[in-house]
Amino acid sequence: MRTALQYVLSLVFIVQMYLAMAAYALFWTPFVLLRRDAAFDAVHGYCRWVRASAALLVGLRSEIRGEVPADEVLVAAKHQSFFDIILIVSALPRPKFIMKKELLWAPIVGWYAGRIGCIPVDRGRRGEAMKKMVADVKAGLAAPGQLIIYPQGTRVAAGARKPYKVGVGVLYAQIGQDCVPAATNVGVFWPRHGILRKPGLAVVEFLPRIPAGLTVEAFMARIEPEVEGASNRLMAEAGFGAGA
């Protein structure tokens, strides 16, 4: 009975989450058209709503740990579900993502992503897109802020292993910015697929920054063990692997 109720509450939460997305988008669109920075107000407000409604409806509380970067840095984040995006965006003052080019055509999400400065990457021409992205950042043409990249390239279920791609190291080396790794345990409560959202404490933790100037090899030797180690610690704290 308790599990059935959690499924019902999860469905209610998901439906209202997307209705709220549409409502926020409609309300903020005139302001965003007049002032691009209003897009950050819109996405921050929406992320706060999702975090609050998750706690209220399904008992999924959330927490940001570590020193949140406010300068121009590369954020290399563990990605387990949509909820870690919500937490990271709610915390960073000017978040922007490296994202699939196809998402630009997604209703609401695509337009707002463009307004906050997200960088679309053509998966079929990734090398060329990476060169252009690095050139734009170096030339100061890209919107300032915290550039978020997922080193594994996709969502990875809690406990699953997927190698880190060298592209994050190449990007780090070429743009010459510090990197702030970010770990999470959100996949324990909010999986990649399915309806059920479990109660508990979802965490995104910003780890000590990796200073600019390392070689690609030295950076790659650090980023995976640091992010995976911290994420495993957070998942263990949430009871993952202990029958929770």
Side-chain angles (χ1 to χ4, degrees):
M1 179 64 72
R2 182 176 299 177
T3 301
L5 176 60
Q6 193 69 25
Y7 267 103
V8 172
L9 292 173
S10 297
L11 182 59
V12 171
F13 165 72
I14 292 168
V15 170
Q16 69 82 35
M17 181 181 73
Y18 286 108
L19 289 175
M21 179 185 290
Y24 268 86
L26 289 172
F27 175 82
W28 279 99
T29 291
F31 302 99
V32 176
L33 287 171
L34 293 172
R35 184 173 63 88
R36 188 168 187 157
D37 279 357
F40 291 104
D41 297 327
V43 297
H44 284 143
Y46 175 69
C47 289
R48 287 193 295 269
W49 174 270
V50 174
R51 292 181 64 182
S53 59
L56 178 65
L57 292 173
V58 296
L60 180 53
R61 298 171 292 117
S62 53
E63 182 178 290
I64 304 295
R65 296 180 185 172
E67 182 179 350
V68 179
D71 53 333
E72 291 195 44
V73 296
L74 179 67
V75 176
K78 181 74 172 176
H79 187 25
Q80 293 182 331
S81 77
F82 182 58
F83 202 40
D84 57 66
I85 296 177
I86 293 294
L87 266 62
I88 288 175
V89 171
S90 73
L92 295 175
R94 297 184 67 88
K96 55 182 178 177
F97 290 86
I98 296 175
M99 66 181 198
K100 295 182 292 186
K101 187 176 181 180
E102 294 86 346
L103 288 177
L104 286 177
W105 300 103
I108 301 175
V109 173
W111 187 70
Y112 272 86
R115 297 301 282 175
I116 66 175
C118 291
I119 300 169
V121 173
D122 188 339
R123 288 189 295 180
R125 305 170 65 184
R126 190 176 294 272
E128 180 181 325
M130 182 71 74
K131 290 179 182 178
K132 182 179 185 304
M133 176 182 61
V134 170
D136 285 350
V137 172
K138 285 183 174 180
L141 298 177
Q146 298 79 44
L147 180 60
I148 304 157
I149 186 171
Y150 297 118
Q152 293 170 293
T154 187
R155 294 171 296 173
V156 179
R161 296 192 61 83
K162 185 176 177 63
Y164 282 47
K165 298 184 177 182
V166 73
V168 65
V170 173
L171 181 64
Y172 156 84
Q174 292 196 21
I175 67 176
Q177 293 179 353
D178 291 355
C179 175
V180 176
T184 190
N185 67 357
V186 301
V188 174
F189 311 103
W190 183 320
R192 293 183 303 160
H193 306 294
I195 293 173
L196 184 63
R197 305 292 183 257
K198 300 177 182 178
L201 179 62
V203 177
V204 161
E205 181 175 352
F206 292 101
L207 306 174
R209 65 176 59 204
I210 300 173
L214 299 181
T215 64
V216 174
E217 293 76 14
F219 175 81
M220 295 303 298
R222 287 189 58 177
I223 190 67
E224 182 169 354
E226 290 184 13
V227 173
E228 290 300 300
S231 294
N232 289 339
R233 170 176 51 80
L234 292 174
M235 288 188 289
E237 178 185 306
F240 183 75

